[in-house]
Amino acid sequence: EPFGYVVKPYDERELISNIEMAVYKHRMEKKLRESENKFRSVIENASDGIALMDDHGNVMEWNPAVERITGLKREEVINQPVWEIVFEILPRDKKTVEIKEANAARWKTEVENRYSNKDQMAEYEIETPKGMHRVVQSNGFTVETVQGVLGGVIMRDITERKQIEIE
């Protein structure tokens, strides 16, 4: 995409104005790319798991830390409904049709309400696809964007801490 254009015949003021606008747009695009790179770097290198869901409830971000915690790879979860992913990591003994339906209904309500109830801390047990049980602490948050409200979760594996508390 061009940053501007000049139609012939043109005068000097129009040319200067278009050059200034093109330089400004180029700077802003460069700043935006830098900002996106910083964001991506923070997400990718965070020690806590970070996931983002779009305004339809589909997973749009899934960092390496949340992969390690849940055992689910990014490519498996991107564009999948969050309620399906949450059900996937439930312990086997809690995977019933009733719980699946209730979980989906709860998440769909959250999406409809623009993730309004997700700004709270929670602890729960998960089970990875390889059968490992973990206790995770999660904190939900929202992000307002031009396209709509995104839901997010920051997840931390607290299994070791919980085991020490029990002993």
Side-chain angles (χ1 to χ4, degrees), residues 56-157:
H56 299 293
N58 297 319
V59 176
M60 57 185 292
E61 287 292 339
W62 192 261
N63 76 343
V66 79
E67 281 187 359
R68 285 189 301 275
I69 294 168
T70 65
L72 298 174
K73 298 292 181 201
R74 183 177 200 279
E75 56 271 6
E76 298 171 325
V77 299
I78 292 297
N79 296 321
Q80 298 300 313
V82 64
W83 49 88
E84 294 290 336
I85 305 308
V86 169
F87 185 77
E88 178 73 22
I89 61 176
L90 283 178
R92 266 185 224 133
D93 62 336
K94 294 186 176 150
K95 287 185 179 179
T96 65
V97 173
E98 295 81 19
I99 289 178
K100 184 174 186 170
E101 290 171 355
N103 182 49
R106 185 176 58 85
W107 274 100
K108 288 175 184 176
T109 300
E110 279 302 316
V111 171
E112 288 172 13
N113 293 329
R114 300 167 45 124
Y115 302 102
S116 60
N117 293 324
K118 286 294 158 216
D119 61 347
Q120 49 195 327
M121 191 77 70
E123 290 182 8
Y124 48 92
E125 182 183 1
I126 66 168
E127 184 176 346
T128 70
K130 292 184 177 180
M132 293 183 64
H133 287 256
R134 294 195 171 120
V135 179
V136 296
Q137 181 181 61
S138 70
N139 189 21
F141 62 93
T142 58
V143 178
E144 301 262 346
T145 70
V146 178
Q147 293 88 9
V149 177
L150 307 179
V153 64
I154 298 173
M155 186 183 295
R156 178 174 289 162
D157 185 348

Side-chain angles (χ1 to χ4, degrees), residues 40-58:
R40 173 72 42 219
S41 181
V42 167
I43 296 292
E44 295 299 317
N45 293 298
S47 59
D48 288 339
I50 301 172
L52 288 175
M53 287 73 67
D54 65 18
D55 58 347
H56 299 293
N58 297 319

